[in-house]
Amino acid sequence: MTTPGHPDRAISDPIGTIADLVAAIEPQLGTEQIRTVVASLAGGRAKARRLASHLSEHPGVLTDGRSPAPRAIGDLLIALRKAGASHISPPCCADCGKPMRTLQRRGQYWYCGVCGPQPDSCAACGNTRRVATRDRAGQPRCKMCPDLDDRDPITVIHAVVTALDPAADREVTADAVRRSAPRPSYQQKLAWALETDPGLLTGDGHLAPLRAILRLIDLLHTAGIAGIVRPACPRCRRVVRIDKPLDGQRVCRTCIAHSRLEDCSRCGARREPATRDDQGGPLCPNCLITDPANLEPCINCGRRRLVNTRTPDGPICPSCPALRTATCSICGENKPCGTSRTTGRPWCPSCQRRTASCSACGRLAAVASGTLAEPLCVDCTAPEVWHTCPTCTDPDHPHPGQCARCLINQRLNELLGPPSAALHPGLQALRHNIATAEYPITARRWLNKPSVAPILADLAAGRRPLTHQALDELPDTQPLAHLRQLLVSVGALHERDEHMARIERFLDGLLASQQDPDQRRLLHRYTTWHLVRRLRGKNNGRPATLQQFNSVRQRAHAAIAFLGWLATHNLALATCGQGDLDRWLTDSSATYRRTAGHFIRWARTNKLTNIHAPAHRWSGPTQPLDDQHRWDTARRLLHDDTLKSEDRLAGLLLLLYAQRPAAICRLTTADIEADAQGVRLHLGQAPIRLPEPVAALARVVAANRKGHATIGALTPSPWLFPGGQPGRPISTTQLTKRLNNLGIRPNQARSTALFQLATEIPAAILARTLGIHTDVAVAWQRLSAGDWANYAAEVSRRSRKASAP
């Protein structure tokens, strides 16, 4: 959408477009005043573009005030009228045409206070009238039939609270009620809800009919009133803020996001939509922020990029630091300035947007250098001769001042101190590795991270020993995991099974949080001597995976949830009957129903209970199998050279050979054998000979593999798909995201591939070549009706007939 004289202005400057349309009608208001009013209502750039687009298509709404139009247009008309506009029309009612100072909305139409409310049948008298209030059951009441309750709502709520804590102070309760529900009418609704269901204050807050109840619970809990229990999210079981309604319950923001997952119409990633395109298709947050319409010129470097910081002078991109105060080389004023990429001198944001007649060539152009009296365009500006680094005199240094490597050494001296024999040998190796990193700018940014620098300084100063146990005392974050792996890669720490260590730390904290000694012993027996011991035996010395960590964590939480439900209903594991189990399975408050079955079956096996929870047996894929889409995607990966080679190979291994992303991540260069006869890939016991062009693609990936680790990658990675941490393969999550960007859904695509392969290959050969269990191969073969046992019997009968005389 464009406006006259401003091509594509609705995209590049939506606020300016709206201000121009208003200024053309309202000459009494100044441009800056109009922009201030518009900016206060326009919100983000996406919303501002929608408003600009609507006003460009329907400019008449500014003079007649008629809907249909977005609510923000009506708010803009009201705000302009308050600012002194006389030619701008106020919003008018869609029914009676009355000018309004406030408006109500039904869809895209505006209504006044008389026409807006919809009549309804009164729950008391039955007459169809305007709804004035609602009673304690939530039913509509007219103004003649209010639900009268002369009791003080604060007194009612305090009585409910004192039933839990007789020592609760009334003033504390009254203050919490007023802060959560300022209006008396809302306080009355709050009192009715708590009087009807006092359990909302003791853990059932996720069933709260009013959002203010959750705020009241937080305030009372913070005040230290005994018996008040902050509710957990009914879906993820985390004790966090839960004020979003979903299926009759209050859930956290994360669970709301998971319930809104859609495939992005642009990149295909399955995420919560941040907005929608012109056709109504969902767009993920990444596609929203990288949309060209959301890019803005950086006031420091002048490039059109994402906005990282907004300053009063304009936006700054992620690559540019905050503007330093200096004397502008053009206007001579002392203000925040960027550095000109042409001259290397400071210039302020105002001069970056300045145009004038060049004093040398005379043409009207952007000012690149010179002064206000004698401006020069970029063609008439002599490029600055870059000086060498004053510290190392590097002639290849592209910027004035110290080069990136000298800045890294300066930062290392601040954190680790100068190189000396007193520094730990492991930290000396780390220091040398960072100082000689291939990408010094990236290494310097990593050193400046607030989550990394303090830990390095403590290790160098001896305030924290250089051991895994000392690092385990810190919060488990992604930057700490990266730092730990970096220390392992340079030899400062020994290699260990990180996910197994995470499992042990998690279980120790989980068991320590259990108050009941009997329950703590039972959980210790289940988690440590069953889950962890079986996991160690299954891995047989191999490191645990992230999926195994998540499985142990989920099963431990499921056992705690089931035992907690039993304790709530005055039951024990030994005395629980099958009827109690059936009641738990149908209880809406119960969680982890399917996962808790593993704990129940373990308890029955160990004669701790008599109840039985049957296992859910796999009966085939739950999603439709689209073999044509699988082959279409495979052909694109085989022949589209614009895609990354590693993404193409990973996708083909999934589509053609039914490999899980977790198995693809663990492939090494030793799994590929390339010689004059061809390329063989080891997925199971027997190698697979790769056909062309898959074989050529495998050769390219094996020869050119490179991870994203800037620091610590001392030797070529043994992994076929290196990851972002030194010495580690790509994570399953990251690989899945990259496959999603190619339009591949791993679970569905793998099921389709296994279904097709099972109809063509005997189960024994399928298991031996693809690296899957024989029982899995047999199950898929039976599902696909490709029973090769009948084929073997037929071959046997043919042999007997051929040998008969």
Side-chain angles (χ1 to χ4, degrees):
M1 182 57 59
T2 60
T3 56
H6 297 279
D8 204 26
R9 185 71 176 276
I11 293 179
S12 61
D13 186 11
I15 294 180
T17 300
I18 300 174
D20 291 346
L21 292 171
V22 173
I25 300 173
E26 188 58 54
Q28 295 183 1
L29 297 181
T31 304
E32 290 301 323
Q33 186 178 5
I34 295 176
R35 289 184 67 94
T36 301
V37 174
V38 173
S40 64
L41 296 171
R45 290 185 57 82
K47 179 180 178 181
R49 283 199 304 270
R50 288 195 295 268
L51 294 181
S53 176
H54 184 87
L55 286 178
S56 299
E57 295 177 358
H58 308 90
V61 70
L62 295 174
T63 55
D64 59 22
R66 292 286 184 177
S67 52
R71 171 64 182 264
I73 298 291
D75 295 336
L76 176 63
L77 299 181
I78 294 174
L80 291 172
R81 296 284 297 185
K82 289 182 178 179
S86 58
H87 295 79
I88 296 294
S89 170
C92 299
C93 177
D95 278 353
C96 64
K98 172 185 174 182
M100 300 177 292
R101 288 180 294 180
T102 60
L103 54 89
Q104 300 184 34
R105 179 170 60 99
R106 290 203 303 268
Q108 293 282 306
Y109 290 89
W110 309 328
Y111 296 93
C112 63
V114 176
C115 303
Q118 293 292 301
D120 201 349
S121 177
C122 177
C125 64
N127 296 324
T128 301
R129 296 174 178 173
R130 289 180 56 189
V131 178
T133 58
R134 291 187 179 271
D135 58 20
R136 65 192 68 196
Q139 298 300 316
R141 294 290 188 101
C142 65
K143 65 179 181 180
M144 304 299 295
C145 306
D147 188 358
L148 299 178
D149 190 345
D150 297 332
R151 298 177 299 168
D152 181 18
I154 294 180
T155 303
V156 175
I157 297 174
H158 182 64
V160 176
V161 173
T162 53
L164 303 174
D165 184 5
D169 186 13
R170 189 182 190 281
E171 290 302 322
V172 174
T173 304
D175 179 68
V177 171
R178 294 189 187 100
R179 292 172 61 184
S180 57
R183 292 183 299 172
S185 60
Y186 204 77
Q187 293 175 5
Q188 188 68 67
K189 295 179 181 179
L190 199 63
W192 286 341
L194 294 178
E195 189 179 30
T196 303
D197 187 4
L200 297 174
L201 300 178
T202 58
D204 293 338
H206 61 281
L207 301 175
L210 303 174
R211 185 179 182 182
I213 295 177
L214 300 169
R215 173 65 172 163
L216 177 65
I217 292 173
D218 290 339
L219 293 174
L220 294 176
H221 184 271
T222 304
I225 296 180
I228 302 296
V229 179
R230 294 184 62 201
C233 176
R235 295 200 168 204
C236 66
R237 307 307 301 173
R238 296 183 303 150
V239 181
V240 293
R241 181 179 179 183
I242 53 170
D243 56 358
K244 309 295 181 184
L246 180 64
D247 297 336
Q249 296 179 329
R250 301 276 176 176
V251 301
C252 65
R253 180 64 185 83
T254 302
C255 292
I256 283 289
H258 290 167
S259 69
R260 297 173 179 173
L261 296 180
E262 294 185 59
D263 294 338
C264 177
S265 59
R266 184 169 301 174
C267 69
R270 188 166 182 79
R271 301 183 64 185
E272 181 187 16
T275 186
R276 296 188 177 272
D277 56 20
D278 297 337
Q279 290 74 36
L283 289 180
C284 67
N286 186 59
C287 291
L288 172 64
I289 64 175
T290 56
D291 192 296
N294 288 326
L295 305 182
E296 298 184 47
C298 174
I299 60 175
N300 194 349
C301 62
R303 292 175 293 181
R304 189 175 180 83
R305 302 192 63 190
L306 297 176
V307 177
N308 182 61
T309 306
R310 291 191 182 273
T311 68
D313 299 307
I316 299 178
C317 71
S319 301
C320 292
L323 297 183
R324 59 186 177 89
T325 301
T327 301
C328 177
S329 60
I330 297 178
C331 66
E333 296 183 14
N334 191 27
K335 57 170 60 176
C337 293
T339 301
S340 172
R341 297 172 63 86
T342 304
T343 64
R345 298 172 185 156
W347 63 339
C348 64
S350 300
C351 292
Q352 294 178 29
R353 297 188 291 265
R354 197 183 301 276
T355 58
S357 298
C358 177
S359 60
C361 64
R363 67 187 183 94
L364 183 65
V367 176
S369 63
T371 63
L372 293 181
E374 296 182 354
L376 295 175
C377 65
V378 66
D379 294 335
C380 300
T381 299
E384 178 74 10
V385 178
W386 297 107
H387 300 288
T388 58
C389 175
T391 305
C392 65
T393 63
D394 182 5
D396 297 327
H397 176 55
H399 299 289
Q402 285 185 306
C403 65
R405 296 205 180 275
C406 290
L407 293 174
I408 284 181
N409 285 320
Q410 179 181 344
R411 182 58 174 161
L412 287 172
N413 289 337
E414 296 173 358
L415 297 177
L416 305 179
S420 63
L423 189 63
H424 190 284
L427 295 179
Q428 289 184 11
L430 176 65
R431 193 187 196 287
H432 174 74
N433 188 270
I434 296 176
T436 58
E438 181 180 0
Y439 301 102
I441 296 178
T442 304
R444 181 167 170 249
R445 289 176 182 169
W446 181 79
L447 277 178
N448 290 329
K449 285 187 175 181
S451 57
V452 174
I455 301 177
L456 289 177
D458 290 344
L459 294 175
R463 294 187 292 269
R464 187 179 299 277
L466 185 56
T467 61
H468 281 294
Q469 292 73 20
L471 296 180
D472 289 341
E473 298 174 357
L474 299 171
D476 188 10
T477 60
Q478 189 64 28
L480 177 63
H482 190 278
L483 174 60
R484 187 196 300 270
Q485 188 58 29
L486 177 58
L487 293 170
V488 170
S489 66
V490 299
L493 292 175
H494 65 274
E495 182 75 41
R496 73 170 186 177
D497 190 346
E498 285 301 326
H499 288 301
M500 183 59 71
R502 289 183 64 192
I503 291 174
E504 294 173 349
R505 293 199 305 273
F506 163 74
L507 293 179
D508 289 342
L510 190 67
L511 294 175
S513 64
Q514 301 303 311
Q515 302 296 327
D516 188 355
D518 295 334
Q519 183 171 323
R520 183 166 58 248
R521 285 192 294 270
L522 177 62
L523 289 172
H524 181 269
R525 182 179 174 184
Y526 171 63
T527 58
T528 304
W529 294 107
H530 178 66
L531 294 179
V532 176
R533 189 182 66 169
R534 190 179 69 165
L535 179 60
R536 292 185 187 276
K538 179 181 179 180
N539 290 344
N540 194 21
R542 296 188 302 271
T545 64
L546 177 62
Q547 290 73 23
Q548 290 173 336
F549 167 75
N550 291 332
S551 176
V552 170
R553 181 174 59 179
Q554 188 177 28
R555 288 178 174 179
H557 280 308
I560 292 177
F562 178 66
L563 293 176
W565 185 89
L566 292 178
T568 304
H569 293 77
N570 298 321
L571 297 171
L573 184 62
T575 60
C576 177
Q578 195 67 33
D580 298 321
L581 178 63
D582 295 338
R583 186 156 56 98
W584 171 70
L585 291 172
T586 57
D587 192 342
S588 60
S589 64
T591 56
Y592 296 103
R593 294 186 184 90
R594 181 170 182 176
T595 310
H598 184 272
F599 170 73
I600 297 172
R601 290 188 291 274
W602 169 82
R604 180 182 176 88
T605 303
N606 288 270
K607 303 185 183 305
L608 301 176
T609 185
N610 294 323
I611 59 177
H612 175 62
H616 292 267
R617 299 193 176 277
W618 181 79
S619 58
T622 58
Q623 296 179 336
L625 304 180
D626 190 351
D627 195 55
Q628 183 61 42
H629 176 72
R630 167 179 167 246
W631 285 115
D632 292 341
T633 306
R635 291 188 189 95
R636 181 165 67 93
L637 296 180
L638 286 171
H639 304 293
D640 191 351
D641 295 335
T642 60
L643 302 176
K644 293 183 178 180
S645 301
E646 55 269 25
D647 292 349
R648 295 169 61 192
L649 180 61
L652 290 171
L653 291 178
L654 191 149
L655 293 171
L656 302 181
Y657 300 104
Q659 295 299 296
R660 295 182 182 273
I664 297 174
C665 293
R666 294 193 296 267
L667 290 176
T668 64
T669 54
D671 294 324
I672 293 184
E673 298 178 3
D675 51 27
Q677 285 73 32
V679 177
R680 293 176 298 278
L681 177 63
H682 288 267
L683 299 176
Q685 299 176 0
I688 298 175
R689 185 177 295 277
L690 298 179
E692 296 293 345
V694 183
L697 197 59
R699 291 178 187 269
V700 171
V701 173
N704 301 322
R705 69 192 188 282
K706 183 176 178 59
H708 297 285
T710 302
I711 311 171
L714 299 179
T715 57
S717 176
W719 302 103
L720 187 61
F721 299 94
Q725 294 185 357
R728 291 288 182 89
I730 187 174
S731 66
T732 305
T733 303
Q734 185 63 29
L735 180 61
T736 301
K737 288 182 179 179
R738 295 169 69 165
L739 293 175
N740 288 337
N741 293 337
L742 298 176
I744 301 174
R745 300 295 174 264
N747 291 337
Q748 184 178 2
R750 181 176 181 270
S751 298
T752 306
L754 270 177
F755 187 89
Q756 182 63 30
L757 292 172
T759 62
E760 302 172 353
I761 303 175
I765 299 177
L766 192 67
R768 191 165 58 249
T769 55
L770 299 187
I772 62 177
H773 197 275
T774 305
D775 293 343
V776 176
V778 171
W780 274 101
Q781 195 171 86
R782 289 175 178 172
L783 179 68
S784 62
D787 194 347
W788 285 82
N790 297 332
Y791 172 76
E794 179 65 22
V795 171
S796 177
R797 285 193 295 269
R798 291 178 190 171
S799 301
R800 288 197 298 269
K801 290 180 181 179
S803 60

